[in-house]
Amino acid sequence: MKRTAVNPWAWSLKLGYNQAEVIEGTKRQVVCAGQTSVDDEGNPQHPGDMRSQIALALDNLEAVLSAADMGLANITQLRIYATDVDEAMKHFDLLGARFGPVQAAPPMTLLGVTRLAIPPLMFEIEATAAD
C-alpha cells in the first residue's frame, strides 16, 4: 500500500493528522466498530477519567487491528467521539505517543457528543485500516 499525504495547510500536522491521504495499492480493508474503555466482557472502565478511557480505547483498537493482522500504521481514517472535546484534547498526547512511533498521521475527525451508548463512557474511536 502506498500512502501520499495531502496537506494544503500545515496546521493539522501540529495536531498529528493529515488533511487527506491518497491510498493506492490496497489488498484488504478493515472497518472497525467504535472502540471504548471497556474490559474484555464489555464492562465500562475508568468512569470519570478521560485519560484512562482514551488509553484503554486505544488498547482495544490495537487489539482489534492485531486480530486482523494489522496495526496503527494501517489506519487510513479515524473518527473520534467525545462527551467533552476540551478534556479529550488535553490528552491527545496519548494518540501522538501511539501513532508517532509508527509514523502515522491518518486523517481524523473529532466530534463532541452529548453521550455515548453506554454511560459512563466518554470517548470512542472508530478506524478504517488497509494494507
Side-chain angles (χ1 to χ4, degrees):
M1 171 176 74
K2 179 183 174 194
R3 301 170 77 132
T4 305
V6 178
N7 290 298
W9 317 279
W11 63 263
S12 65
L13 296 173
K14 296 174 193 169
L15 297 173
Y17 68 95
N18 291 312
Q19 290 292 318
E21 289 183 339
V22 176
I23 308 293
E24 300 176 89
T26 63
K27 296 180 282 183
R28 298 182 309 140
Q29 183 176 20
V30 174
V31 179
C32 301
Q35 299 301 308
T36 59
S37 176
V38 296
D39 64 16
D40 59 359
E41 295 192 12
N43 301 308
Q45 303 294 303
H46 312 297
D49 183 347
M50 180 69 80
R51 187 170 187 83
S52 294
Q53 285 201 19
I54 292 171
L56 183 52
L58 288 167
D59 289 346
N60 290 341
L61 177 59
E62 287 193 85
V64 169
L65 291 169
S66 178
D69 295 322
M70 292 192 189
L72 295 178
N74 296 100
I75 292 176
T76 58
Q77 185 177 23
L78 289 172
R79 288 161 303 282
I80 299 171
Y81 308 92
T83 59
D84 184 336
V85 170
D86 293 329
E87 185 64 19
M89 289 190 71
K90 289 179 189 174
H91 305 290
F92 263 43
D93 62 301
L94 293 171
L95 277 79
R98 304 273 184 117
F99 286 90
V102 297
Q103 298 180 345
M108 81 170 82
T109 299
L110 169 60
L111 294 173
V113 296
T114 56
R115 66 165 274 195
L116 295 172
I118 305 170
L121 296 175
M122 303 182 307
F123 184 88
E124 186 164 343
I125 186 167
E126 294 178 340
T128 301
D131 67 359

